[in-house]
Amino acid sequence: MSKILITGANGQLGNELTAELRRIFGNENVVGSDINVPAPGTESGPFEKLDVLDIHRYEEIIDRYQITQIYHLAALLSANAEKNIDLAWKLNMEGLLNTLNLANKKSLEKVFWPSSIAVFGPDAQKKRTPQQSACNPTTVYGITKLAGEQWCAYYYKKFGLDVRSIRYPGLIGYKSMPGGGTTDYAVDIYHKAVAGEAFTCFLEEDSALPMMYMSDAVKATVELMEAPKDKIAIRSSYNVSAISFTPGEIASSIQKNIPDFKIIYKPDYRQDIASSWPDSISDEEARRDWKWSPDYDLDRMTSEILQELPRFSEKV
Ligand code: SER
């Protein structure tokens, strides 16, 4: 029986992945953990306060719950990382190394770790960026993700640790908020649209980025982790692709449902981060190795979010 620990379970992806893993494996078999504790009464299963830099407490939780798999999501995102270089390096690297070392020491079955399209820099192929394109990131976040990928590949090769990873694009959902990322605008925009307000965008109108609807991201993660071990040919991190759009295009998609919706462009330092990343991604290897295929395009995602967000906000 698998016993799963999720770090960063209170974050944007952690929140939804924890719910899905609890649905699959049973509430009591999935332990959420985060430095921020959720509001009392909101958790459907066990939850522990954990700073992943505190290796003793991390180990104590693994032992206490007899954990067999870790999904290590705790990290600083791109925009916050630029504001706090030292913390980004410490949290993103030491957090991962603590995870890999503990997983290895305890002979855990599997580890999941998220990488990002941020591993690519300005010299990578811009459109349909291949798996093996140049990885010369110019952001602190990208540097931590690239180094992290190399650590994952190293622990697999050296110790046989079954670490699996995805280079997520910007993740968009309505059930949880992102924090401190460059792709966050594509979540915030729906909240403004539903509230009947104009949206001020921190990126330029034509700045394209790779993106993915949250249910596709959760599906990709579960499928990768459930795939037979011998199918996982890439042990750094897999490119996965779903949608690519600009702020102008997401605004038009919203206007098909809310014709009065207005967007204003006021690019800031996050435009430099976005400009250094690919416009879109090629994910042939993920399609070949574990049969990845996304379900949502931009308009399907927009109609679902615009329909579900008001109901969801009422419930919470
Ligand atoms: N969504 C992330 C960010 O913007 C990219 O991995 O930082």
Side-chain angles (χ1 to χ4, degrees):
M1 173 58 92
S2 299
K3 272 272 192 178
I4 297 173
L5 175 64
I6 306 183
T7 74
N10 231 356
Q12 186 202 13
L13 172 62
N15 224 292
E16 301 210 26
L17 194 56
T18 303
E20 178 62 5
L21 291 174
R22 283 185 177 153
R23 198 186 61 75
I24 299 171
F25 294 96
N27 288 353
E28 64 291 356
N29 293 318
V30 180
V31 182
S33 73
D34 202 294
I35 199 160
N36 300 311
V37 180
T42 55
E43 273 303 302
S44 53
F47 199 97
E48 295 288 338
K49 184 176 169 71
L50 173 65
D51 174 353
V52 290
L53 299 178
D54 181 350
I55 194 161
H56 299 296
R57 176 146 173 81
Y58 202 165
E59 181 165 9
E60 190 262 312
I61 291 171
I62 292 172
D63 288 343
R64 181 146 46 94
Y65 288 95
Q66 298 183 312
I67 295 298
T68 61
Q69 297 184 19
I70 301 177
Y71 287 65
H72 170 52
L73 309 181
L76 226 58
L77 288 181
S78 61
N80 277 352
E82 290 306 308
K83 289 196 210 144
N84 199 338
I85 295 173
D86 295 337
L87 178 64
W89 182 256
K90 194 172 170 60
L91 177 62
N92 293 11
M93 287 293 86
E94 251 178 63
L96 174 60
L97 284 170
N98 283 350
T99 305
L100 295 173
N101 282 326
L102 287 172
N104 199 27
K105 181 173 169 189
K106 310 278 170 194
S107 306
L108 298 195
E109 199 191 325
K110 278 181 232 177
V111 174
F112 176 80
W113 176 75
S115 185
S116 163
I117 51 121
V119 294
F120 298 114
D123 60 344
Q125 184 179 310
K126 261 302 190 230
K127 293 201 189 322
R128 294 194 47 78
T129 311
Q131 177 74 36
Q132 306 298 349
S133 197
C135 286
N136 293 304
T138 51
T139 63
V140 180
Y141 178 69
I143 295 170
T144 67
K145 290 296 181 187
L146 181 58
E149 287 190 3
Q150 300 301 316
W151 278 120
C152 290
Y154 179 88
Y155 271 73
Y156 173 72
K157 187 161 181 280
K158 180 108 178 175
F159 305 112
L161 185 65
D162 189 0
V163 196
R164 305 178 182 199
S165 175
I166 282 175
R167 288 173 175 161
Y168 290 117
L171 302 184
I172 304 161
Y174 61 90
K175 293 182 188 164
S176 50
M177 294 303 281
T182 303
T183 55
D184 295 10
Y185 90 86
V187 175
D188 297 340
I189 194 169
Y190 289 112
H191 286 260
K192 291 286 186 213
V194 164
E197 294 172 27
F199 177 65
T200 305
C201 184
F202 57 71
L203 297 185
E204 286 160 7
E205 184 172 4
D206 60 353
S207 187
L209 284 172
M211 301 280 191
M212 183 179 278
Y213 189 43
M214 189 57 84
S215 76
D216 273 334
V218 168
K219 182 178 93 152
T221 312
V222 171
E223 284 179 0
L224 172 68
M225 288 300 272
E226 290 303 302
K229 194 173 170 184
D230 61 352
K231 295 282 179 216
I232 312 299
I234 293 175
R235 289 296 177 164
S236 51
S237 188
Y238 276 96
N239 275 15
V240 290
S241 161
I243 324 173
S244 161
F245 58 77
T246 64
E249 286 162 349
I250 191 174
S252 303
S253 177
I254 292 172
Q255 282 156 350
K256 286 182 198 162
N257 300 270
I258 307 174
D260 295 346
F261 176 68
K262 292 208 169 32
I263 181 166
I264 303 146
Y265 298 96
K266 285 209 176 128
D268 65 18
Y269 69 101
R270 288 168 281 194
Q271 181 58 53
D272 290 340
I273 301 177
S275 301
S276 77
W277 291 349
D279 290 359
S280 59
I281 295 287
S282 162
D283 59 2
E284 276 167 45
E285 289 79 358
R287 287 171 188 265
R288 178 197 68 200
D289 293 353
W290 41 281
K291 309 286 170 260
W292 160 245
S293 152
D295 292 330
Y296 284 81
D297 63 14
L298 176 56
D299 284 341
R300 182 169 176 216
M301 174 177 82
T302 297
S303 2
E304 188 163 308
I305 296 180
L306 293 178
Q307 195 184 332
E308 296 299 329
L309 181 55
R311 291 193 222 162
F312 185 79
S313 313
E314 249 171 49
K315 268 198 275 167
V316 287

